[in-house]
Amino acid sequence: MDVVKSSISGLGGRIHITSTPGHGTCFSISLPLTLAVLDGMVVQIEKETMVVPLNAIAETLTLRSGEIRALGPTTQVVLVRDTFVPLLDLGAELGYRQPKTDYSGSVALLITQEDGSRAALIVDNIDDQRQVVIKGLQDSYGHVPGVAAATILGDGQIALILDPADLIVNASGNTAPNPTLRKVG
Amino acid sequence: MDNMENASINTIQDERVDQSDIELLSFRIGDHEYSVNIMSVREIRGWTRATSLPHAPRYVHGVINLRGTVLPVVDLAKRLGLDTDEPSERSVIIVIDYEDRTVGVRVDAVSDILSVAVNTMQPPPEMLSDGSEKFVQGLIVIDDRMVRVLDIETVLPPEDEATA
């Protein structure tokens, strides 16, 4: 019985026993459904701590002004070893801030998708790599665009786990603070 | 409605609580007094910083960690369209169960537990000036104060809006 209780507690579950003498006993075992653990990169975006799944990240980049080129009036690309990769400002895509005027010196995550397409997602800072426990948002709140799930960090705060594929599909790509033609760097 | 009688108040220690009484938890937002059926209140928490959700409606304050689960928090003042101060550290979060959903609701302060007879609750008057009456299930008059009974379902964020 003790082994059962330890195993269940170890999984984050609970066991409850009700018993009526001469009648029977009922054991209720509750186990959390989402036991998934994810390897993630913990990043800062506009003072919010967020997590990007590590398996989506090919590498990290520091953007240099010579490598950033304008594509359209509000979109830019970055040169990564002879190919141009679309640039997305995550702070702007998530609605936390307006696009910046200058992204040179910014840190970006190079995301590779299953179809081979790539994108560079700009974050404010990369904190570290961590394994996080996935907590679903679907049941408690519903779907949030660009967000896969949530996790609880060591300090008790909730951090959102981003969905890079969803972000890229729905991205505006807007990296210009106002829609005027920008000079090529 | 000509029948304006004061609801009889029994304190929670009173033994003679009638079967037809309901218990309401009353709380304050700015100068307004609201209440919810206490049977739907799971707990009351002090203020904690919420993680904001991108692209959420303005009245969704964010999510907080409720002992290991993710709890969405609605800023009730914004939801009702009331003009009040921004949330402060003295705000209180009331955790409410509605059907299978649990939601936190930020208010300024929790006041009282009121025991009122169901038949003294009046329906809200149909004044369409500020739009806040659709959130009110009924009115209770206590000691010349008007306490609105909140309709919880109207306050919750809509469930799973259509995905792109």
Side-chain angles (χ1 to χ4, degrees):
Chain A
M1 290 286 265
D2 186 60
V3 170
V4 169
K5 186 172 190 309
S6 309
S7 304
I8 291 173
S9 301
L11 288 172
R14 292 186 307 278
I15 182 164
H16 184 72
I17 306 173
T18 52
S19 180
T20 311
H23 205 73
T25 303
C26 176
F27 293 89
S28 304
I29 300 176
S30 317
L31 291 171
L33 277 182
T34 50
L35 284 178
V37 167
L38 171 86
D39 283 316
M41 190 154 277
V42 180
V43 299
Q44 293 290 324
I45 298 170
E46 206 53 34
K47 299 195 196 64
E48 293 286 338
T49 305
M50 311 191 103
V51 177
V52 180
L54 209 56
N55 60 12
I57 304 176
E59 60 187 275
T60 61
L61 312 165
T62 304
L63 304 178
R64 286 194 277 266
S65 58
E67 298 166 338
I68 305 175
R69 309 289 166 82
L71 185 66
T74 58
T75 54
Q76 296 182 77
V77 292
V78 60
L79 182 64
V80 179
R81 290 187 298 276
D82 303 333
T83 58
F84 288 103
V85 176
L87 208 55
L88 297 182
D89 180 350
L90 280 186
E93 297 296 335
L94 295 171
Y96 291 145
R97 62 152 182 253
Q98 287 299 304
K100 290 191 194 169
T101 47
D102 182 15
Y103 289 105
S104 59
S106 295
V107 174
L109 306 173
L110 185 65
I111 305 290
T112 327
Q113 304 208 77
E114 278 138 8
D115 61 356
S117 66
R118 301 192 295 170
L121 307 183
I122 297 168
V123 300
D124 292 350
N125 196 41
I126 296 176
D127 286 353
D128 68 74
Q129 215 165 291
R130 214 180 293 172
Q131 274 199 329
V132 296
V133 173
I134 301 176
K135 303 270 183 186
L137 273 180
Q138 201 67 28
D139 291 338
S140 51
Y141 178 75
H143 178 73
V144 179
V147 172
T151 185
I152 297 177
L153 301 174
D155 62 359
Q157 289 293 313
I158 291 186
L160 298 179
I161 300 174
L162 298 177
D163 183 345
D166 197 41
L167 280 170
I168 291 166
V169 156
N170 295 315
S172 66
N174 188 359
T175 48
N178 44 52
T180 54
L181 279 173
R182 287 173 51 78
K183 283 221 165 91
V184 172
Chain B
M1 269 291 200
D2 301 321
N3 200 10
M4 299 270 286
E5 42 178 20
N6 283 347
S8 60
I9 306 172
N10 302 317
T11 62
I12 194 125
Q13 288 86 22
D14 197 310
E15 303 296 339
R16 295 174 284 112
V17 172
D18 202 328
Q19 285 303 324
S20 66
D21 281 8
I22 54 170
E23 293 203 302
L24 303 172
L25 175 74
S26 72
F27 52 88
R28 207 174 34 78
I29 302 168
D31 296 327
H32 304 259
E33 204 165 355
Y34 284 79
S35 62
V36 287
N37 191 327
I38 203 157
M39 296 309 290
S40 52
V41 174
R42 179 187 274 200
E43 65 184 269
I44 299 171
R45 281 179 71 94
W47 176 248
T48 49
R49 185 188 161 273
T51 299
S52 61
L53 294 174
H55 305 302
R58 218 175 66 92
Y59 58 86
V60 174
H61 186 69
V63 288
I64 63 170
N65 173 8
L66 183 71
R67 290 186 301 280
T69 62
V70 174
L71 179 79
V73 176
V74 167
D75 187 322
L76 197 55
K78 292 199 174 102
R79 185 63 170 121
L80 300 173
L82 299 175
D83 186 25
T84 60
D85 301 327
E86 282 301 306
S88 73
E89 283 179 4
R90 290 187 313 238
S91 296
V92 171
I93 297 176
I94 303 177
V95 181
I96 291 178
D97 280 333
Y98 180 77
E99 293 183 353
D100 58 349
R101 305 170 66 185
T102 304
V103 169
V105 161
R106 181 205 79 79
V107 304
D108 288 341
V110 168
S111 313
D112 248 330
I113 297 178
L114 311 166
S115 197
V116 296
V118 171
N119 54 18
T120 57
M121 184 158 81
Q122 305 167 31
E126 292 189 16
M127 288 155 47
L128 305 171
S129 52
D130 61 1
S132 63
E133 73 290 336
K134 70 175 192 257
F135 300 106
V136 173
Q137 202 172 50
L139 302 174
I140 305 264
V141 179
I142 287 171
D143 282 348
D144 293 336
R145 276 152 49 205
M146 182 181 70
V147 178
R148 305 161 187 77
V149 180
L150 195 68
D151 185 347
I152 296 168
E153 188 182 3
T154 60
V155 160
L156 301 181
E159 204 148 21
D160 213 337
E161 297 168 356
T163 55

